[in-house]
Amino acid sequence: MTRPLSSIERSIQNRIGWLQEEERKSIESRGEIGRMEFWLRVTRTEISREVKAGRGDAVTAFTLVCRLFKLVLEKRQAGDPRLFDHLMQYADTVLKQHSPRS
């Protein structure tokens, strides 16, 4: 027998459901571009919350991630897909291990 969810657990579950539904709607309306735009909006909101909470290093972290991604794309465009492949593999591994959306 399972116990009822606490209000915090229900809130987390509802948030995950909302994220999944909004991502699905974004994909239906604009495809992968819609998915990307959705996650950029969600991330921007989270970064704003972090800054308001006094954790401005979130801006620095996001900037570094963007710079890394730009570098990886440039390397792939130059004919070396290894960094892109490694980054995609690492991102997939981390999300599978830590994402509550699984």
Side-chain angles (χ1 to χ4, degrees):
M1 186 167 183
T2 60
R3 65 173 176 73
L5 296 176
S6 70
S7 62
I8 292 172
E9 291 168 329
R10 256 192 329 277
S11 176
I12 291 169
Q13 194 174 48
N14 289 341
R15 173 76 174 163
I16 292 168
W18 179 83
L19 286 169
Q20 290 172 335
E21 181 63 19
E22 291 301 311
E23 181 182 37
R24 184 190 63 74
K25 288 180 192 176
S26 297
I27 294 167
E28 283 180 1
S29 67
R30 303 229 24 230
E32 287 300 310
I33 297 295
R35 176 185 285 186
M36 176 194 66
E37 291 170 346
F38 167 72
W39 284 110
L40 284 172
R41 283 191 307 274
V42 170
T43 302
R44 183 175 180 201
T45 300
E46 290 297 322
I47 290 170
S48 295
R49 287 183 185 144
E50 288 289 298
V51 169
K52 287 178 185 174
R55 297 182 292 266
D57 58 345
V59 174
T60 303
F62 185 71
T63 301
L64 286 173
V65 168
C66 289
R67 288 178 57 202
L68 171 63
F69 192 69
K70 182 181 179 303
L71 172 69
V72 166
L73 291 178
E74 289 170 352
K75 292 284 189 181
R76 186 170 75 160
Q77 291 163 2
D80 184 4
R82 291 177 299 170
L83 281 177
F84 183 86
D85 295 340
H86 291 310
L87 182 62
M88 292 296 286
Q89 183 179 20
Y90 179 70
D92 187 54
T93 300
V94 170
L95 289 172
K96 282 180 180 172
Q97 290 177 0
H98 299 285
S99 178
R101 299 177 22 155
S102 302

